[in-house]
Amino acid sequence: MAEAETETAAALQAEVSALRMRVQELERENQNLAKAASSCTCRFKDDSVRSVAVASSCLYGSNPEARHNGKFHQSSPLEKDLSAPFDHSIISTENEIQRNRIVEGNGLPDDSSKRTQRRGRQDGILSHCSKRLVALKVMYFGQRFYGFSSEGNTEPTVESEIFKALERAKLMVGSRKESCYSRCGRTDKGVSASGQVISLYLRSNIKDVGGDMQNERSEIDYVKVLNRILPQDIRVLGWCSVPADFHARFTCLSREYKYLFWKGDLDILEMQRAASKFVGEHDFRNFCKMDAANVSNYRRRITEFTISACGKRSNNDELCSMMIKGTAFLWHQVRCMVAVLFLIGQGLESPSVVDSLLDITKTPRKPQYKMAVELPLILRSCLFDKTDFMCSSDASRSLTEHLNDQYHHYMLQAEIFHEALNCLTFPESNSLETLQKKRNHIPLLSRQTEPSYEERIAKVKTKLTDNLSIAS
C-alpha cells in the first residue's frame, strides 16, 4: 500500500515539473512576442486603453518561424491585448479601413516623413501578399470629371479617384505599373459609364487562387470595400477573377455606347436611315479626332446602330436614345457620328452625306463641324469572353439603396426646374427661324476641311527630323 502511494506521488511530482517547464517556455515566448511588438511600427497608443496592434497573420498566418523573426504586416492593424490569446485568423480589409478611420478620428500626430517611410515598407511587404488579377466593372457620372483619365494629369479624373480608393483600402500590390493595370476605354470629359471595365492585380485572402466557389466566398468583398470609400458619383458594380493574359482594352470583344437626346422636331426615320450606313467595317477618319502620331489605322467595325424612344416624356417632348455597338472606337467617334445624324434629323443634310464622308477617296479631308455635346453619352457595356462579374448580397443591397437615393435626388432637382418652367409662358414656334437656320447652313461637303492623314503624318515626320537635327 505504501509502495503504491509512493509511485503516485512520484508521478504527480513529475507532472508538476513538466507543467513548470511549460510555464517557463510560455513566459519566454510571451517575452519574445512583447519585444517584437514593442518594435513594431504598426502599434498605436491610447490613453484609456493599453493595446498593441499586431497584424502578422495577414502575411504569415500561423507560421511560427515568421512570428519568431518578428515580421509583422505594417498596414493592417488589429487591436489585441498582449495577455489575450494570439489570433491567427485572416485580417479583412474592412477591418483595416475601420481601424484607419479610428486612428484618423483620434487626430494622432503623423509626421509626413514617417508616413513616407511606412509607405515604402508597406509596398515592400505587400509585394509578398497573396494577389490575383481582378476585373472591376465601374459606373460613374462624368459631369465633374476631366474624363476617365487625363494625359495632362488634370484632376479630378475617374481613374485618379479609383486609385485613391484602392490605396486607402490597401488593396494595391506594389506600384501601379507592377499591378498590370489596364482599362477598357478612356471616356472624354463629361462622359458617363455604366459598364466601364478595368483590371489589375489586387490583394487577396486566398493563397491558392482557383475557381472554387467556397474560396470565392472567403475573398475580400472588393465591391463593398471600395464603394465605402469612393465618391458618390463613382461606384464599383462587380468584380471577377480573370486569367493572367487578360487585358481590359485588348481582350474586349465589343463595346456599347448610348446617347440620350430629346426628339423635338428631329426626323427620326431619316436619322435611322443614315445610321444604318455606319454598320459594317469602314474608315471613320472623317468621324473622329485624328491622332496621326499614334494611330495609323482608322478602320473600325460597327455591328449595330439603332435609334429608339425611351418611353419618357416631358413638356410635350419625347426622350430618345441611340445605341451604338462596335468592336472598337476612335477618339470622339461616337460624338462625331451623332453630330452628323443631328444635322440630318434637322433636314440640313441628306442621309447620303454619310456615304460621302465614309468614302475616303472622295472625301480625304474631314469637314469642320462641331461634335455632339458630351453629357448625354454613356459607355453602357464592355463585352468579354468568360467574365462573370460578382457582387455580394450586402454590396448589392447598398448599391441599390445608393443609386435609388441618387436617382431621387436628381429627380427632385429636375422637378425644381420644371416648377420654374411652369411660371413662364411659352412663345409660339417661329417657322421663320427654322427657315433662316436652313438658309444659313453650310453643307458639310462645302465647308473648310482639316488636314488629311497624309498631311498630318508628314508634318509629324518633319517635326521629328527638325528635333533630331537640333539635338545633333
Side-chain angles (χ1 to χ4, degrees):
M1 184 70 176
E3 185 176 351
E5 289 178 354
T6 302
E7 290 178 356
T8 301
L12 289 173
Q13 189 173 5
E15 287 183 11
V16 169
S17 299
L19 287 172
R20 284 176 178 170
M21 291 178 63
R22 180 55 181 158
V23 168
Q24 291 174 356
E25 291 175 0
L26 289 173
E27 286 177 348
R28 284 195 297 270
E29 185 176 355
N30 189 44
Q31 289 174 358
N32 291 334
L33 286 173
K35 184 183 298 184
S38 65
S39 62
C40 179
T41 59
C42 64
R43 72 187 187 280
F44 63 95
K45 298 180 180 179
D46 189 288
D47 292 337
S48 58
V49 180
R50 179 183 178 275
S51 60
V52 178
V54 179
S56 63
S57 60
C58 178
L59 291 179
Y60 306 108
S62 57
N63 186 343
E65 183 180 352
R67 293 203 311 276
H68 177 72
N69 292 332
K71 297 179 181 178
F72 293 98
H73 190 289
Q74 299 174 2
S75 64
S76 305
L78 181 66
E79 186 175 309
K80 287 287 179 182
D81 188 90
L82 284 176
S83 61
F86 193 79
D87 186 1
H88 297 295
S89 61
I90 293 175
I91 304 170
S92 71
T93 304
E94 294 178 56
N95 286 339
E96 298 171 25
I97 296 170
Q98 186 65 25
R99 174 54 57 206
N100 289 339
R101 287 175 178 167
I102 293 172
V103 173
E104 292 167 3
N106 286 337
L108 297 178
D110 193 2
D111 183 76
S112 59
S113 61
K114 292 180 180 178
R115 285 199 302 269
T116 304
Q117 292 172 5
R118 274 204 304 273
R119 193 176 296 114
R121 287 193 298 267
Q122 172 186 313
D123 291 342
I125 293 174
L126 284 179
S127 63
H128 301 290
C129 283
S130 296
K131 63 181 181 179
R132 71 190 309 173
L133 188 59
V134 172
L136 300 175
K137 181 185 284 189
V138 184
M139 70 84 58
Y140 48 89
F141 183 46
Q143 187 173 21
R144 75 178 180 93
F145 297 107
Y146 289 92
F148 185 79
S149 64
S150 172
E151 290 185 350
N153 296 321
T154 306
E155 292 196 10
T157 65
V158 179
E159 195 172 73
S160 65
E161 294 292 337
I162 291 174
F163 272 97
K164 287 177 186 176
L166 288 168
E167 289 170 1
R168 185 177 170 190
K170 297 180 176 59
L171 290 175
M172 292 290 292
V173 179
S175 66
R176 175 170 166 173
K177 184 177 181 180
E178 292 169 337
S179 70
C180 299
Y181 170 74
S182 64
R183 56 179 176 247
C184 185
R186 197 181 73 189
T187 52
D188 303 329
K189 176 183 177 181
V191 176
S192 302
S194 58
Q196 173 74 278
V197 173
I198 64 173
S199 66
L200 73 169
Y201 276 99
L202 297 179
R203 285 180 53 200
S204 172
N205 278 344
I206 304 171
K207 292 184 179 180
D208 184 17
V209 176
D212 188 357
M213 287 304 297
Q214 189 66 34
N215 282 345
E216 300 297 347
R217 293 191 187 97
S218 64
E219 183 56 284
I220 297 170
D221 193 339
Y222 299 110
V223 177
K224 187 175 181 180
V225 170
L226 288 171
N227 285 344
R228 284 181 172 179
I229 302 172
L230 287 166
Q232 291 191 345
D233 43 8
I234 304 176
R235 280 296 178 270
V236 177
L237 301 182
W239 73 276
C240 68
S241 182
V242 290
D245 61 350
F246 182 90
H247 192 285
R249 178 184 175 188
F250 297 117
T251 58
C252 180
L253 302 177
S254 69
R255 299 157 174 88
E256 180 179 344
Y257 284 90
K258 184 175 186 177
Y259 194 94
L260 300 169
F261 65 97
W262 292 102
K263 180 177 181 294
D265 296 326
L266 294 172
D267 189 334
I268 301 298
L269 291 178
E270 283 291 278
M271 291 172 65
Q272 182 61 71
R273 201 157 69 99
S276 62
K277 297 177 182 294
F278 288 124
V279 177
E281 186 174 325
H282 305 283
D283 191 314
F284 285 94
R285 68 181 64 189
N286 289 329
F287 293 94
C288 71
K289 184 172 181 179
M290 195 175 292
D291 182 14
N294 298 303
V295 180
S296 59
N297 179 17
Y298 291 87
R299 296 191 68 83
R300 297 293 186 271
R301 177 178 293 277
I302 302 297
T303 57
E304 186 177 341
F305 201 134
T306 57
I307 305 174
S308 59
C310 295
K312 295 183 179 180
R313 302 186 65 87
S314 177
N315 296 327
N316 298 320
D317 206 347
E318 188 174 19
L319 185 65
C320 298
S321 68
M322 303 184 199
M323 301 290 291
I324 309 107
K325 293 182 182 180
T327 53
F329 292 86
L330 296 164
W331 192 10
H332 294 326
Q333 181 181 341
V334 174
R335 291 168 62 190
C336 286
M337 292 190 295
V338 170
V340 173
L341 291 179
F342 281 158
L343 293 175
I344 294 169
Q346 295 172 62
L348 301 175
E349 296 285 348
S350 166
S352 62
V353 75
V354 174
D355 295 315
S356 299
L357 292 173
L358 290 175
D359 188 345
I360 304 307
T361 56
K362 182 179 179 180
T363 315
R365 297 177 180 86
K366 176 188 174 184
Q368 294 179 354
Y369 59 88
K370 288 185 178 181
M371 296 185 296
V373 296
E374 69 276 4
L375 188 63
L377 181 58
I378 308 165
L379 174 57
R380 193 166 182 267
S381 66
C382 303
L383 179 64
F384 297 88
D385 186 28
K386 297 179 181 178
T387 52
D388 186 13
F389 289 95
M390 298 176 287
C391 182
S392 68
S393 56
D394 285 347
S396 179
R397 188 160 42 247
S398 297
L399 261 174
T400 303
E401 291 174 0
H402 172 77
L403 295 178
N404 272 327
D405 288 344
Q406 292 293 297
Y407 175 76
H408 291 145
H409 172 74
Y410 285 107
M411 285 293 290
L412 287 174
Q413 288 191 8
E415 188 59 31
I416 293 171
F417 285 106
H418 187 265
E419 184 67 23
L421 286 171
N422 290 335
C423 299
L424 303 175
T425 55
F426 291 94
E428 295 182 3
S429 60
N430 190 344
S431 58
L432 292 176
E433 289 183 4
T434 304
L435 184 61
Q436 187 66 31
K437 188 175 182 180
K438 289 185 177 181
R439 286 176 179 173
N440 294 337
H441 175 71
I442 301 174
L444 283 175
L445 299 180
S446 301
R447 296 185 184 186
Q448 291 186 339
T449 59
E450 299 178 0
S452 66
Y453 169 74
E454 290 74 19
E455 292 168 342
R456 289 175 185 267
I457 200 66
K459 187 176 181 179
V460 170
K461 289 180 179 178
T462 301
K463 187 176 181 179
L464 181 61
T465 302
D466 291 345
N467 291 338
L468 289 174
S469 300
I470 294 171
S472 60

